[in-house]
Amino acid sequence: EAAVTQSPRNKVAVTGGKVTLSCNQTNNHNNMYWYRQDTGHGLRLIHYSYGAGSTEKGDIPDGYKASRPSQENFSLILELATPSQTSVYFCASGNWGGSYEQYFGPGTRLTVL
Amino acid sequence: AQSVTQPDARVTVSEGASLQLRCKYSSSGTPYLFWYVQYPRQGLQLLLKYYSGDPVVQGVNGFEAEFSKSNSSFHLRKASVHWSDSAVYFCVLSPLSGSFNKLTFGAGTRLAVCP
């Protein structure tokens, strides 16, 4: 059974609109992450969280907010969506230390018109 | 600063042929290194990982990778590829220092296996 799920899987939004991408994990991991994937780039980190109530900026946070209301849930919020935010977004979870690997969701394809 | 370079954006091989996907990394210390695979319309799945010990590590589905500190490389290999191996492969690095396991991704290599 999938341990990291994302919703919606596909989303079309209009410029200036608000978009919320949701992520749920059943791994009981402390850390959660939001990435975007664009052609020619690997995944780039937008925001991450150490646990419920915490959010931190990643490498490309501009234009995005994040919310971690619980251990299981982590949301990415685009308050004013722009066409440059058209991308595929991945959520992941992981734990402190250990083998440092992360577990990824299936992705959300966002198109901003 | 750390970085990962995958010099080949696309690799095409025939089914049954051997495979090597190249990865070079830059890190101030000894990092954790990973190879992830992304099948069409799916998330990333871990193939294998390396931290220390035997420089050749085995992964799933017959994949292996060899770590070389002198060459700062972590190349992925497979003796005989199958059409189902067609996917995008990412070399990924995680530093061991610091308080957060932030991953650095290469740009990925798209593998096409021809029948």
Side-chain angles (χ1 to χ4, degrees):
Chain A
E1 183 157 348
V4 181
T5 57
Q6 295 181 231
S7 63
R9 293 293 311 278
N10 293 280
K11 172 75 177 178
V12 178
V14 296
T15 297
K18 182 177 181 178
V19 176
T20 300
L21 307 183
S22 299
C23 177
N24 177 274
Q25 57 105 355
T26 57
N27 296 318
N28 198 31
H29 287 157
N30 294 319
N31 301 335
M32 295 186 74
Y33 314 77
W34 276 107
Y35 296 90
R36 63 178 284 174
Q37 182 181 31
D38 303 290
T39 303
H41 297 275
L43 275 64
R44 293 181 290 174
L45 183 64
I46 305 170
H47 283 288
Y48 59 95
S49 168
Y50 295 104
S54 88
T55 61
E56 304 290 337
K57 293 181 179 180
D59 296 326
I60 53 165
D62 292 346
Y64 302 94
K65 292 183 179 179
S67 173
R68 182 88 181 270
S70 66
Q71 176 86 338
E72 298 79 19
N73 295 295
F74 191 37
S75 297
L76 185 68
I77 302 154
L78 291 66
E79 294 278 4
L80 295 170
T82 69
S84 65
Q85 294 175 312
T86 293
S87 187
V88 180
Y89 292 85
F90 287 96
C91 176
S93 73
N95 251 344
W96 287 107
S99 59
Y100 292 83
E101 65 202 70
Q102 294 178 16
Y103 298 83
F104 289 83
T108 294
R109 184 172 296 275
L110 173 65
T111 302
V112 183
L113 302 176
Chain B
Q2 56 195 27
S3 65
V4 177
T5 302
Q6 293 180 248
D8 304 309
R10 176 180 281 269
V11 170
T12 301
V13 297
S14 298
E15 192 167 24
S18 63
L19 170 70
Q20 177 171 278
L21 301 182
R22 296 183 291 164
C23 172
K24 299 275 285 185
Y25 71 90
S26 174
S27 177
S28 57
T30 302
Y32 259 107
L33 290 162
F34 309 87
W35 277 97
Y36 280 84
V37 60
Q38 183 181 27
Y39 298 104
R41 295 173 297 282
Q42 296 186 27
L44 279 71
Q45 302 172 30
L46 182 68
L47 271 181
L48 48 79
K49 59 190 177 188
Y50 174 81
Y51 164 55
S52 66
D54 189 335
V56 179
V57 292
Q58 304 296 321
V60 299
N61 296 333
F63 285 94
E64 67 176 27
E66 183 166 7
F67 170 75
S68 171
K69 187 173 184 178
S70 60
N71 292 325
S72 297
S73 67
F74 189 55
H75 300 330
L76 181 71
R77 302 189 299 234
K78 188 171 184 179
S80 177
V81 297
H82 187 263
W83 65 266
S84 61
D85 294 324
S86 297
V88 180
Y89 292 79
F90 292 96
C91 184
V92 183
L93 175 157
S94 175
L96 294 182
S97 61
S99 61
F100 191 76
N101 54 323
K102 178 180 172 182
L103 300 184
T104 298
F105 288 79
T109 297
R110 182 175 297 277
L111 173 65
V113 179
C114 301

